[in-house]
Amino acid sequence: LPISQLEALLLPIKPLKATATTSQPVLTTQQIENIFYKIQDIYEIHKEFYDNLSPKVQQWDNRVTVGHLFQKLASQLSIYKDFVDNYKVALETAEKCSQSNNQFHKISEGLKVKGPKDSKEQPTSVPMEALLYKPIDRVTRSTLVLHDLLKHTPSDHPDYPLLQDALRISQNFLSSINENIDDRRTPVTTPQDWKSTRL
């Protein structure tokens, strides 16, 4: 999950919280909690993962190990479970607030996502609903990345059992959340489904 997408979601929280205690709040404290539930925690997990992975990728050779980072990421999926359980509430609350409050409507339609670091790309506007789905989408993508990593990792490499474990945890997690995803979204794809679609 690009850190910039999570940063875009985090950006309005502080100002929204500041108005929540005034006589003219944009959103109530409860609405803010419902919409942005666990976003800060997911951001911190990904930032730590990215900060640890990035230097290893830049100095890559056959002795570099990353399995422990993926294993740690997989072990923190319970935070995503909480996010997924609240996902429908987050969407419904954002939708209702957007319809009833023009100020929030403007905020939710114009969240700015920065381009990659050092790029000259202008920030792009992404609707809040699209960004709220990204953490779920990210677990699917991470699972596919793990699947590919394992395929290209020799079975005697120290990363192999760690990547296997991370993949098992991620697949179990994806299977458990499929029933909980909003009906407006297609179910997330597990690597088994993915393999059959590629044949």
Side-chain angles (χ1 to χ4, degrees):
L1 180 61
I3 298 291
S4 58
Q5 291 176 348
L6 288 168
E7 284 171 343
L9 268 178
L10 286 173
L11 210 56
I13 298 178
K14 213 172 179 179
L16 285 170
K17 278 185 174 173
T19 72
T21 52
T22 65
S23 58
Q24 289 186 303
V26 177
L27 299 181
T28 66
T29 306
Q30 188 56 58
Q31 287 168 333
I32 295 166
E33 176 64 22
N34 286 350
I35 295 169
F36 299 99
Y37 187 66
K38 295 292 177 188
I39 295 294
Q40 181 70 46
D41 295 340
I42 291 172
Y43 170 75
E44 281 162 19
I45 288 168
H46 274 275
K47 179 121 180 46
E48 185 189 358
F49 176 75
Y50 177 79
D51 288 349
N52 289 324
L53 183 66
S54 193
K56 287 178 176 288
V57 171
Q58 282 158 14
Q59 297 163 3
W60 192 259
D61 66 31
N62 289 341
R63 292 175 306 239
V64 170
T65 58
V66 295
H68 60 292
L69 299 177
F70 282 95
Q71 195 181 36
K72 186 175 180 187
L73 190 65
S75 74
Q76 295 170 311
L77 285 174
S78 60
I79 300 287
Y80 279 86
K81 175 80 172 79
D82 296 338
F83 175 84
V84 170
D85 289 345
N86 182 71
Y87 175 66
K88 223 169 183 170
V89 174
L91 275 191
E92 284 165 6
T93 308
E95 215 169 275
K96 278 181 197 159
C97 293
S98 192
Q99 285 165 3
S100 62
N101 186 308
N102 195 40
Q103 222 175 330
F104 181 69
H105 177 73
K106 282 181 187 161
I107 293 168
S108 66
E109 287 302 306
L111 292 171
K112 296 272 187 267
V113 177
K114 292 178 195 160
K117 211 177 177 181
D118 304 326
S119 88
K120 293 189 173 124
E121 278 178 48
Q122 289 298 309
T124 49
S125 286
V126 182
M128 188 175 285
E129 185 181 330
L131 285 177
L132 282 170
Y133 187 69
K134 291 292 180 186
I136 297 168
D137 186 47
R138 183 70 261 166
V139 181
T140 314
R141 288 171 185 270
S142 296
T143 307
L144 299 178
V145 167
L146 277 168
H147 193 263
D148 274 357
L149 262 176
L150 258 177
K151 235 177 7 186
H152 299 287
T153 304
S155 55
D156 59 351
H157 191 281
D159 266 348
Y160 195 82
L162 302 177
L163 292 171
Q164 263 187 325
D165 189 45
L167 180 62
R168 180 187 54 77
I169 295 167
S170 300
Q171 283 175 329
N172 289 343
F173 176 76
L174 284 179
S175 302
S176 74
I177 67 165
N178 254 335
E179 316 79 83
N180 296 344
I181 304 298
D182 187 7
D183 297 336
R184 284 179 286 178
R185 296 283 180 185
T186 51
V188 288
T189 314
T190 60
Q192 281 92 340
D193 304 327
W194 184 62
K195 272 195 292 186
S196 61
T197 59
R198 293 180 73 192
L199 295 175

